[in-house]
Amino acid sequence: MALDADEIAGTLAARGLRLTRQRHAVLDAVAEASSSVSPVQVFDAARERCPELGLTTVYRTLELLSEIGALRRVHGPDHCEAFMPAGAAHGHTVVCSACGRVAEFTECDMGAVVDAAVLQTGYRITEHFLQLSGECPTCGARTGQARGAAGGGA
Amino acid sequence: MALDADEIAGTLAARGLRLTRQRHAVLDAVAEASSSVSPVQVFDAARERCPELGLTTVYRTLELLSEIGALRRVHGPDHCEAFMPAGAAHGHTVVCSACGRVAEFTECDMGAVVDAAVLQTGYRITEHFLQLSGECPTCGARTGQARGAAGGGA
DNA sequence: ACACAACTGAAAACGGTTTTCACTTTCAGA
DNA sequence: TCTGAAAGTGAAAACCGTTTTCAGTTGTGT
Ligand SMILES: [Mn+2]
Ligand SMILES: [Mn+2]
Ligand SMILES: [Zn+2]
Ligand SMILES: [Zn+2]
């Protein structure tokens, strides 16, 4: 995932904040991860570039980077606090239940579902949180599952 | 919400488990709540019928009742562990961002979205977790918001 | 050089959840 | 009816992820 460091540095600067070495390390750690990562995972990864990094700073940075929109919070039924780079477009995520790898997709036509919800509940819907899970291509191949059709599920 | 105690007792019995006074109190506490409830909220409510109830038991019971499908786990971007009675039909939930009240709805035509995800990611999708949020009718009226159209959002 | 705000890590505090443990209840079988 | 095993329980302790505190450092503008 992209995550242009210069652009992020700019966004921070506009608020009088800086992209420090520690923050940069955190940013890279998330950017390089092939799946969503927990704060400790970020900590471990980022420490290899920045050994003096503290876990406190990781938490603070993940929070900060989410605020400015550089990172996206991902949380499924299980782990509730994980992060991934925020893609350019609004998207949803699919988590592999076997290996945890996360992929983004951009389809966002929730119109029908949202309409039904409005009709049935009377709520005014302003946000939706959707997360699919299943098996990534790699894990699917390893376990020899048939590929193709989409399951119904939960 | 219904939550037929006898039926649940039966399901438990089939596993050699019992619907004790404490479990019954927990069950009722969730059933009577107008919104999703956290473990402590259940604890407080259930204690009025069963004063000697311990928080440990509440946790154990919520877990157990979720396992047998009597309760549904609800978690939004914020609070991650809350419970509500599982309706008969498969459904999704809408949480009011103002008051926390939860409503269920049954539309589940995720076909198009899932297809798009499969196409874009190559994952085999087996489950989906969808949670909408917005404003319930009561809160909407109180804040005088226009009603009707459904928002896009995250 | 100076002042000031941003930033940091270690340690402590915190809060929700799980585990441990000694004890009670329930129930099936002798 | 006794008896033993398994289910169930609450208090207390342990656990674990997160947040707060605090004293010190780094960077920036003047
Ligand atoms: Mn969650
Ligand atoms: Mn569904
Ligand atoms: Zn996988
Ligand atoms: Zn409301």
Side-chain angles (χ1 to χ4, degrees), chain A residues 46-114:
Chain A
R47 256 200 160 181
E48 303 199 347
R49 322 187 158 220
C50 190
E52 74 281 19
L53 176 66
L55 182 54
T56 315
T57 300
V58 172
Y59 276 100
R60 290 193 276 233
T61 303
L62 290 173
E63 171 69 27
L64 176 61
L65 294 178
S66 297
E67 261 172 31
I68 69 170
L71 300 185
R72 176 193 304 260
R73 243 174 245 272
V74 178
H75 71 160
D78 311 326
H79 65 306
C80 280
E81 292 290 317
F83 298 82
M84 66 179 299
H90 164 82
H92 296 290
T93 52
V94 205
V95 191
C96 175
S97 49
C99 73
R101 197 167 283 130
V102 170
E104 256 180 294
F105 68 98
T106 52
E107 172 74 18
C108 187
D109 185 9
M110 309 288 278
V113 178
V114 168

Side-chain angles (χ1 to χ4, degrees), chain A residues 95-101 134-140 142, chain B residues 123:
Chain A
V95 191
C96 175
S97 49
C99 73
R101 197 167 283 130
E135 226 170 21
C136 74
T138 309
C139 290
R142 196 151 38 67
Chain B
Y123 278 50

